[in-house]
Amino acid sequence: MRPFKIGGRTFDSPVIMGILNVTPDSFSDGGLHYEPSEAVRYALEMEGSGASIIDIGAESTRPGFTPISAKEEISRLLPVIRGIRDSSDVLISVDTMKAEVAETAISAGADIINDVNAFRGDGMLECLADTGAYAIIMHCPGDIHTVHQRDMSGDVLPQIAGYLKERTEAALDAGVDRHDIMIDPGVGFGKTMEQNESIVMRLDELDIGYPILMALSRKRVLARMYPMMDRDEATILATMESVRRGASAVRVHNVGMMASAIREYTGRL
């Protein structure tokens, strides 16, 4: 993988992003870290296990998710961001689609905005350009609110590449620095199980000049790729396959297992 920077920090080996859901309804761990003090404790635990980024989500985007207001999202996020920042300089990513939430999170100490809606919401690109925050742009075919109701057709890799080229160009046109962009092919969003697996196995075809984040953790495609295997173990196998094919960052629930796998692969972390 090519070295890349986030917030002035250079990374030349795969970066681990630990998942911190502060929602009552996320598909894998909804409610487990809903209380701010527990969320902060768990974030610091993930950092200690090898996470360089903590990705905080306050609104679930699982199939059938119920949207929440910006006010509610901010109320869930702020005490957690502040609590982490008071204790650590770990990179903080916030998973949001709303400009008001993104601006508030960055002001509170967040470094990265991870948008499953590819910064298509009102004011999102302007927020990035104004604040200088790092952006993770995910492939989302169609409307984020209905994406789980209809799958793509045909060969998805060229379609994903074309979409991400369009969205990264829109970010550049808005004034975002090209070195402040990472892309995510959007495994599990509007794609069949076969298409999701093809993203993993053909990830090298998605090289459009930006670091790639792979977010496979505990997703349904793992049952197809590794039948009868524990979800966390399957996550590691599939994620390491993506690392071998060019992923620069990996988003996981079980940070310790992922760190051990990357350490074995690279000889360091």
Side-chain angles (χ1 to χ4, degrees):
M1 58 170 274
R2 293 184 291 267
F4 65 99
K5 290 185 178 182
I6 302 177
R9 306 178 201 187
T10 300
F11 298 97
D12 58 5
S13 63
V15 175
I16 297 174
M17 172 185 280
I19 297 170
L20 179 60
N21 288 318
V22 291
T23 64
D25 58 347
S26 291
F27 84 95
S28 175
D29 57 357
L32 287 179
H33 312 297
Y34 192 50
E35 291 299 322
S37 59
E38 167 59 18
V40 172
R41 184 202 65 76
Y42 186 62
L44 299 177
E45 180 181 303
M46 287 194 290
E47 180 188 13
S49 296
S52 297
I53 304 170
I54 304 299
D55 187 50
I56 312 172
E59 179 180 41
S60 175
T61 53
R62 69 177 186 175
F65 77 94
T66 301
I68 63 173
S69 68
K71 181 179 179 179
E72 174 65 18
E73 197 172 347
I74 288 169
S75 72
R76 295 177 182 180
L77 286 168
L78 277 185
V80 180
I81 295 172
R82 289 169 175 162
I84 295 171
R85 191 50 75 229
D86 284 346
S87 302
S88 172
D89 64 354
V90 69
L91 292 168
I92 296 175
S93 169
V94 169
D95 191 340
T96 188
M97 301 179 279
K98 305 179 185 76
E100 180 183 351
V101 177
E103 290 167 1
T104 303
I106 294 163
S107 295
D111 308 280
I112 303 164
I113 300 300
N114 181 10
D115 185 0
V116 298
N117 197 35
F119 296 91
R120 293 180 293 178
D122 291 343
M124 284 298 280
L125 288 177
E126 292 79 4
C127 171
L128 290 176
D130 291 345
T131 62
Y134 196 88
I136 300 176
I137 302 176
M138 194 194 83
H139 175 260
C140 177
D143 188 328
I144 182 62
H145 298 97
T146 59
V147 68
H148 296 299
Q149 297 174 17
R150 182 178 179 181
D151 293 329
M152 297 174 68
S153 60
D155 187 353
V156 296
L157 268 298
Q159 298 176 66
I160 293 171
Y163 175 102
L164 290 173
K165 285 178 182 176
E166 185 275 325
R167 295 310 302 155
T168 54
E169 288 170 5
L172 298 178
D173 289 345
V176 178
D177 190 303
R178 69 168 295 105
H179 299 293
D180 289 336
I181 297 173
M182 180 177 287
I183 59 172
D184 176 348
V187 171
F189 285 79
K191 303 166 183 75
T192 67
M193 294 300 103
E194 293 83 358
Q195 290 167 342
N196 287 322
E197 183 175 4
S198 74
I199 293 170
V200 178
M201 304 309 294
R202 296 166 54 197
L203 190 64
D204 50 308
E205 297 178 30
L206 200 59
D207 185 356
I208 61 170
Y210 297 93
I212 299 173
L213 169 70
M214 281 296 276
L216 293 164
S217 192
R218 299 179 182 172
K219 291 187 175 178
R220 288 185 300 155
V221 67
L222 299 171
R224 170 186 168 84
M225 297 178 70
Y226 306 100
M228 307 303 292
M229 183 177 286
D230 173 84
R231 278 293 171 94
D232 281 342
E233 293 177 357
T235 294
I236 301 307
L237 290 179
T239 300
M240 288 310 301
E241 187 65 43
S242 72
V243 166
R244 286 187 283 272
R245 296 177 185 273
S248 297
V250 296
R251 183 178 181 271
V252 296
H253 294 86
N254 195 321
V255 171
M257 285 181 68
M258 192 75 251
S260 295
I262 291 178
R263 192 158 45 239
E264 183 177 346
Y265 177 68
T266 63
R268 58 192 172 87
L269 179 62

